[in-house]
Each structure stands twice: as structure tokens, then as C-alpha cells.
Amino acid sequence: MPHSQDNSIRRHGLKPAWAEVVLAFLLAAIAGWIDAVGFLHFGGFFVSFMSGNTTRLGVDIGHADPLLMLLPAVVIACFVLGAFAGTLIYRGARGYGGALVLAVVALTLCAALVLHGRHGIEAVFAGLLAAAMGMQNTAMQGVAGHAVGLTYLTGNLTKLGQNLALMILGEDTGRKCLLFAGIWAAMFSGAIGGALAHTRADLAALGPVMVLLGIIAILRAAYVRMRH
């Protein structure tokens, strides 16, 4: 990085591109972990993959089963509300927006576990997990200048395929391919970890990612403060 560009980063508190990429990989792995735990707990429903839940909702409506309709409908609505709330938090907190969003995500996961332990209402538990995933998507406003999804993969895989084609045609898209492939690999790895942890610890498997989210939030806030 040129010296003048490095000085600009120090003055304005911007994150270097590599830090954004590492953070995106961590958040994608966390999303995969949480989605795997949710999928196993709810018997085939997702807490971050809304395309799958939309299909499930359509099938349940087609079968006219109101009980089965409830869970995917609640999850989809709460995911949208989470993205709505996360955007307001991010914009309202200015430079600390990303850190505050991640802190709220961690607290939402904690609240979900506590309420489920006391009352065992599955729709509330699923809704809070989905809201946390919706919020997590707003914690980063792009990665190294590219729009990416941090809790779902369809768009990222589409962009991976497009950029692979462009690379074959001679365009310099290798780094973009690595970014989108890396996010896929991170979420895939997180899903494996979440499944293994759920097998051994059931819903307590969410504990490590709550702690990790809290640590990331603190480090991100400290970074912003240091740069200012």
C-alpha cells in the first residue's frame, strides 16, 4: 500500500482490505454454525437461508397446513425485522455501527437461549435466531469494495460463477473469485462445526459463537477508537 494511502487509513479510521476479508470470513463461519444448529434443532428449517424457508412456506400453504406455515412465516418476518433494526443501529452509531450491531447480535442470541430455556416456545426461539442473522448481514457495508452476503450464499455463488467466466475471458477477477469462494468455504466450515457441536452439546453449541461475536465487537470498537 502506498505511504499516502496508508496515512489516509490512519487519519480516517478505515479498515485495510485484508481486515475486512478476515472479518467477512469469520462472520460467514458464524452464520454457518448458527444455521446448522437451527436446522438440526427445528428439523429442516433455516435461520439464515430465507430462500429455503420461502419454499417451505409455499409448500405448506399449498398443503393448507396452518401449523406448519407458522414457523417459516415467523422466521422470514423476523429476519427482515433484524435487517431493518441492524441498519438503523449501524447508521445511528456512525463509526461504531458495525461493532454495535455485532454486540446486539450476540445479546439477541443470548436472549434466545434464555427464553427458550425458560419457556420453550419454538416460534419465539426461531424468530430471535433469524432476527440475529438478519442483523448480522448489516454489520458490514461491503467487503473490499464488493457487496457480499454474510449469512446466505446464493448471491455469492452466482458472483463466483460470473467472475470465473470473466477471468477466463481475460479480465482480472481472480481476487473476487477468491473472496466469494472463501466466504462459501467459511460458511461451509462453520456449518460442519455447528453440526458437530450440536451433536455433543445441543443448543449449548451456540455459546462459543456468542462469545466470539462479543470479542469481535469489542475488537472492532477498539480499532475504530484507536484510529480516531
Side-chain angles (χ1 to χ4, degrees):
M1 178 182 291
H3 182 68
S4 61
Q5 195 173 358
D6 187 55
N7 286 340
S8 176
I9 285 177
R10 288 191 173 91
R11 284 197 306 272
H12 298 289
L14 302 177
K15 297 183 296 299
W18 67 264
E20 291 184 348
V21 172
V22 170
L23 179 57
F25 287 174
L26 281 173
L27 294 180
I30 288 170
W33 184 294
I34 294 171
D35 208 29
V37 172
F39 182 86
L40 292 170
H41 178 76
F42 296 114
F45 289 97
F46 302 94
V47 295
S48 73
F49 178 53
M50 294 304 111
S51 297
N53 289 333
T54 299
T55 301
R56 287 292 301 262
L57 178 60
V59 170
D60 294 337
I61 290 174
H63 287 166
D65 192 330
L67 289 178
L68 290 178
M69 293 177 204
L70 177 63
L71 192 58
V74 166
V75 168
I76 292 168
C78 288
F79 185 90
V80 174
L81 287 173
F84 173 83
T87 300
L88 293 179
I89 293 169
Y90 189 97
R91 292 294 182 90
R94 298 188 180 182
Y96 292 94
L100 186 55
V101 168
L102 293 177
V104 174
V105 170
L107 291 173
T108 302
L109 293 174
C110 183
L113 277 177
V114 171
L115 289 173
H116 185 267
R118 291 183 177 179
H119 305 290
I121 303 174
E122 294 295 334
V124 173
F125 183 52
L128 287 172
L129 293 183
M133 292 294 89
M135 275 189 279
Q136 184 170 303
N137 270 309
T138 69
M140 296 186 71
Q141 305 296 303
V143 179
H146 307 295
V148 299
L150 298 177
T151 69
Y152 54 89
L153 289 174
T154 304
N156 293 333
L157 291 176
T158 299
K159 291 173 184 176
L160 173 60
Q162 290 172 331
N163 283 286
L164 284 171
L166 293 174
M167 185 169 63
I168 290 174
L169 293 173
E171 295 190 24
D172 184 17
T173 60
R175 290 185 179 181
K176 293 180 183 179
C177 292
L178 290 174
L179 172 63
F180 295 122
I183 290 176
W184 176 86
M187 186 172 284
F188 177 64
S189 301
I192 293 173
L196 291 172
H198 181 270
T199 300
R200 291 164 174 75
D202 197 25
L203 293 180
L206 294 174
V209 291
M210 286 190 299
V211 173
L212 181 56
L213 281 166
I215 292 172
I216 294 172
I218 292 170
L219 291 176
R220 190 166 183 182
Y223 180 90
V224 172
R225 183 175 179 82
M226 177 183 67
R227 291 304 186 186
H228 281 81

